[in-house]
Each structure stands twice: as C-alpha cells, then as structure tokens.
Amino acid sequence: MKSFLTVFVFLFLTALRSGAADKAAKPNIIYILADDLGFGNVSCYGADNFKTPRIDALAKGGIRFQHCFAQPLCGPSRAQILTGRYAFRTGMTGNGSGSLIKPENETMLPKVLKPAGYVSAQIGKWSQLPLQPGDFGFDEYLRFPGSGAYWSSQARGKTYSLSGQEKKLGDKYMPDVMHDFLIDFIKRHRDQPFYVHYAMSHVHGEILRTPDSKPDSKDFYSDNIAYMDKLVGKLVDELDRLKLRENTLLIFVGDNGTAKGAFERSPVNGKMISGHKGQMLEGGSLVPMIANWPGTTPSGKVSQELMDFSDYLPTFAELAGANLPKNVTIDGHSFASQLRGGKEAKPRDWIFVELGKHWYVREMNWKLNEVGELFDMHGAPFEEKLVAVGSENAEAKSARARLQKVLDELNPAAGKRDTGDGSGKSAKKAKRARQSADVAK
C-alpha cells in the first residue's frame, strides 16, 4: 500500500510539473493593433510632433522593427494578420470584399491556437471582416460597429456587442470599456495560455476629445495619441501586477500608414515619409511594430529585417506549439527565432503588398509593381525613385528580373481581387444599385 501511494504521489507531482512547464513554454500573446498609426506618430521611430513614452519603453525593453509592412487599408491588413495569407488568396483585397472570407475556407489564428490549449478574445474593431469574431473561433469578444468609436454621441459609438449581446455605451468612453474587458479577460484566464487580438479605436477618425483632454485643448489628435499610449502603459502595469509579464509576448503595431488628415503633421526626423494610408507608396504600408517579452526578446534591439502581416500566424503558431492549417498556402514566415533572441533561419528576401487591382513586391532596395514600374528604394521611406524604362543600370536590371520572377510565381492576377480601388466605395455603390433595383421591382 505504501508503495502504491508513493507511486501515486510521484505521478501526481510529475503531472503538476509537466502542466506548469507546458504553461511556461506557451507564452500569452497580446496583439495590440493601433488604427491609422504610422511611423510619424510614435516617438521612438523619430516622430517630431508626438510623444509616446510607454510605447517607447516597450521598444527599449524589446525589439523595434524598422521594415514591417501592412496593407494600405485596415480590412486587408486585418485579414492578412489573422489568416497568414495574401489578399489575392482570401479575396480581401479591399475594405469591401470581406464577405469572400468564410469560416469554411479560411482558418484564423484563434482556431490555430485552440488545439494548443489557448483561450482567445477579440477586442475592438472588426467592421471590415465578415460575420462575428466567434464564427472564426474567438471564445469571447467585444466589438463595436465601424471604425473610430469613442463616445455615444457618435452613431457608431452608441452600442457595442459583447459576445453577441448588444450593450449600450452610455456615458462611458469606448476605449476604456475595451481596456476593462481586456483586463477582466486576462484575470479570468491567467492560469492558462491566452491570445488577445486587441484592435484599438485610436487613432482612427473621427478625432474627438479624450477623458484627459483639457477643456481648452486645441489638439485632440495629440490627445488621442497620448491616451492610446496611456492605455498601453496601463496594460503593461496590470500584467506586472498580476506577475504575467515574463510569460507574455506583447506586440504593438499599426494597421496601415498615417491617415491623410494627420499625415501633414507627422514628419520623421524633419522629413516627410513618402505617402500615407490608402496609397501604394511606402507610407501607405510601412508601420511601427514592437515586440516585448521580458527575459526572452533582446532589449533595445532594432531589427532591419523585412516582414509583412502574413508573418504573425506562423510565428504565433510556432511559439504556441500549434500546427498550421492543412491544405492551404500560408504566405507568412515565422520570426519566432528572432523573438527568442536568435537569428532568423531564413530571413525574408521580399514582402508583398496589395490593394484592389494594384500590388507590388519589394526587396530592401527595390520595388516592382503590377504594371512593371521599378522603383529605387535606397532613399526610403522618404523617397522612391522611378527607374526609367530601358535603364542599363546593372543593379536595377538584376532587381527587376528577381522581382518579376517573384510576381510570376505569386500570380496575383489569377487570384480573387477587388475590382475597385480597394476602399470599398465601389462595393458600397454596387450594393446601393442592387437595393434600388430591388425596390424598383
């Protein structure tokens, strides 16, 4: 009997240690997605007119990526994050084509991580994506309609959905409601690995006052940048208090470049970035991206490697010990090794950007688009020079050949594409036309 009890206790303790080790090996993942936030809005990237001390602290204690590329608009960016696939494969090449994505043909991150023991939550913006977050595997969600929801004075801010139940915002501030839900979710699931897709309201227009705006404030945009930074800091402080920081990977990133209305006041180190949100220029897709995982990511590292938004799914899957979706093409490259302080086994040679009927493939110093225009990107992100057709420059000719080979292999023209400009306006116009025709009948 004594021998049996000894064996039982040994097996029980072994199981406990195994469970604890498994939890430690699977980091919590909180993906913070700021809206319409470019290089020129984050001070550690050289922004001249804005201060983001709490975000800067994440960069100081982690990795700041200098060459992370989103898509030029939010819908395609978010679809690429969650599926790990380029837009011509999913069909979400613009803000109006989200209906092409269905649970039966696309597997999003929460479903990838679920078999590895992760519980998941989606918080904030979901508007361009179809159905509900729960339909794609999120265990819990809080979403608001549209973009840039802050106060109930806005049509989009009157209500929000809490895992399918409609709630009234009342006199609360939507970003605060989202933060409170985030912290509550973390507290309830602190003893198991969790994944959070935290899609912030900030700093998408309509730009309104924040709870911290002074009565005589003349600069609500700066107020919103500051409040966003404050919320990031509050999250970090709470993770510290709960003693979860060392087992939590925080990713902070913008979903596309700075919006046109704020672009003019967003220089970087005295220079204007080439382009802004919605454009197929550098500033349309180049975004700030910071990874912080205390004790794991190297502190103060600045990464010069290329990456794009398809890379998150394979990276998070590798960190979680999860399997990638079967029988589909995953375009992303895992950068898990870099997060752990090592070098990438095979760094990206190029990234791909697509919006509507336009696309390009970009190396570090060259860019080739769908009509065969080659750009010299040595001066990026401030300058991109069109190379004359027929140029005999040997370096340019070699780059054209390499990039054309990539485009030929990807063949985006044969995929699913938005026939408009990607903004969704053409899709909305077509929908209105169909509705008018139905009324006429």
Side-chain angles (χ1 to χ4, degrees), residues 62-181:
I63 306 174
R64 172 162 55 91
F65 292 81
Q66 290 294 103
H67 301 285
C68 177
F69 288 84
Q71 304 306 295
L73 285 180
C74 53
S77 283
R78 291 157 197 264
Q80 192 169 318
I81 291 163
L82 290 165
T83 65
R85 286 157 53 79
Y86 289 143
F88 65 86
R89 302 193 199 279
T90 67
M92 193 148 190
T93 59
N95 277 350
S97 51
S99 60
L100 294 174
I101 295 181
K102 298 178 173 62
E104 57 266 30
N105 57 28
E106 297 296 340
T107 302
M108 290 191 178
L109 262 164
K111 283 192 175 180
V112 173
L113 300 180
K114 174 67 90 175
Y118 278 71
V119 63
S120 61
Q122 187 277 335
I123 303 171
K125 179 173 172 176
W126 184 266
S127 55
Q128 284 81 18
L129 294 168
L131 304 175
Q132 299 295 335
D135 295 313
F136 289 92
F138 283 102
D139 296 300
E140 301 179 31
Y141 64 89
L142 186 160
R143 61 162 296 190
F144 56 78
S147 303
Y150 301 101
W151 298 102
S152 60
S153 57
Q154 302 168 279
R156 71 192 83 168
K158 295 188 182 307
T159 62
Y160 60 93
S161 177
L162 187 62
S163 296
Q165 295 185 345
E166 186 171 287
K167 302 283 186 180
K168 291 184 178 180
L169 183 61
D171 60 357
K172 297 179 181 177
Y173 187 51
M174 187 76 79
D176 286 345
V177 172
M178 291 159 54
H179 173 81
D180 291 345
F181 175 78

Side-chain angles (χ1 to χ4, degrees), residues 118-369:
Y118 278 71
V119 63
S120 61
Q122 187 277 335
I123 303 171
K125 179 173 172 176
W126 184 266
S127 55
Q128 284 81 18
L129 294 168
L131 304 175
Q132 299 295 335
D135 295 313
F136 289 92
F138 283 102
D139 296 300
E140 301 179 31
Y141 64 89
L142 186 160
R143 61 162 296 190
F144 56 78
S147 303
Y150 301 101
W151 298 102
S152 60
S153 57
Q154 302 168 279
R156 71 192 83 168
K158 295 188 182 307
T159 62
Y160 60 93
S161 177
L162 187 62
S163 296
Q165 295 185 345
E166 186 171 287
K167 302 283 186 180
K168 291 184 178 180
L169 183 61
D171 60 357
K172 297 179 181 177
Y173 187 51
M174 187 76 79
D176 286 345
V177 172
M178 291 159 54
H179 173 81
D180 291 345
F181 175 78
L182 168 61
I183 300 306
D184 178 65
F185 176 84
I186 291 171
K187 288 178 178 177
R188 287 187 286 108
H189 298 288
R190 61 184 297 182
D191 294 326
Q192 66 185 115
F194 56 78
Y195 157 63
V196 179
H197 182 86
Y198 180 22
M200 303 183 90
S201 299
H202 298 104
V203 285
H204 194 289
E206 167 186 19
I207 302 300
L208 304 174
R209 66 176 180 86
T210 75
D212 290 350
S213 295
K214 292 182 170 48
D216 60 347
S217 175
K218 302 279 194 303
D219 188 358
F220 285 167
Y221 189 77
S222 290
D223 293 350
N224 276 259
I225 295 281
Y227 206 91
M228 173 195 67
D229 187 69
K230 173 183 172 179
L231 287 174
V232 171
K234 286 179 68 175
L235 169 59
V236 171
D237 291 344
E238 189 63 25
L239 291 171
D240 280 332
R241 192 185 71 79
L242 295 171
K243 295 181 170 49
L244 293 174
R245 280 292 284 121
E246 289 194 358
N247 197 44
T248 301
L249 168 63
L250 280 174
I251 300 283
F252 177 87
V253 64
D255 71 337
N256 47 240
T258 304
K260 184 178 180 181
F263 168 73
E264 292 80 2
R265 56 177 303 190
S266 303
V268 172
N269 297 322
K271 298 180 181 179
M272 298 304 301
I273 285 179
S274 170
H276 52 71
K277 173 186 176 180
Q279 294 185 320
M280 296 297 282
L281 296 170
E282 190 80 347
S285 293
L286 181 68
V287 293
M289 191 280 212
I290 295 163
N292 183 290
W293 183 2
T296 300
T297 53
S299 295
K301 179 179 178 180
V302 178
S303 173
Q304 300 294 342
E305 293 178 6
L306 290 168
M307 61 178 299
D308 70 28
F309 271 24
S310 66
D311 294 338
Y312 296 114
L313 185 142
T315 300
F316 295 167
E318 182 177 341
L319 293 174
N323 295 318
L324 294 177
K326 295 180 180 179
N327 304 317
V328 296
T329 298
I330 299 297
D331 293 295
H333 295 206
S334 172
F335 57 96
S337 175
Q338 188 175 163
L339 293 177
R340 293 188 178 112
K343 293 184 178 180
E344 293 305 288
K346 191 179 184 303
R348 273 187 170 276
D349 294 321
W350 50 266
I351 57 91
F352 177 75
V353 171
E354 181 176 11
L355 182 65
K357 54 189 177 182
H358 303 291
W359 57 81
Y360 65 78
V361 63
R362 186 198 190 289
E363 294 179 338
M364 190 62 72
N365 295 320
W366 304 94
K367 177 171 94 173
L368 183 70
N369 66 19

Side-chain angles (χ1 to χ4, degrees), residues 405-428:
K405 182 179 179 182
V406 172
L407 285 180
D408 290 343
E409 290 175 352
L410 288 176
N411 195 18
K416 305 173 186 177
R417 293 189 293 120
D418 185 327
T419 57
D421 61 3
S423 67
K425 294 176 183 176
S426 56
K428 291 175 184 176

Side-chain angles (χ1 to χ4, degrees), residues 34-57:
D35 205 340
D36 289 0
L37 191 83
F39 263 37
N41 307 126
V42 181
S43 47
C44 65
Y45 280 89
D48 291 335
N49 296 324
F50 306 102
K51 299 298 180 185
T52 51
R54 299 307 301 265
I55 295 168
D56 294 354

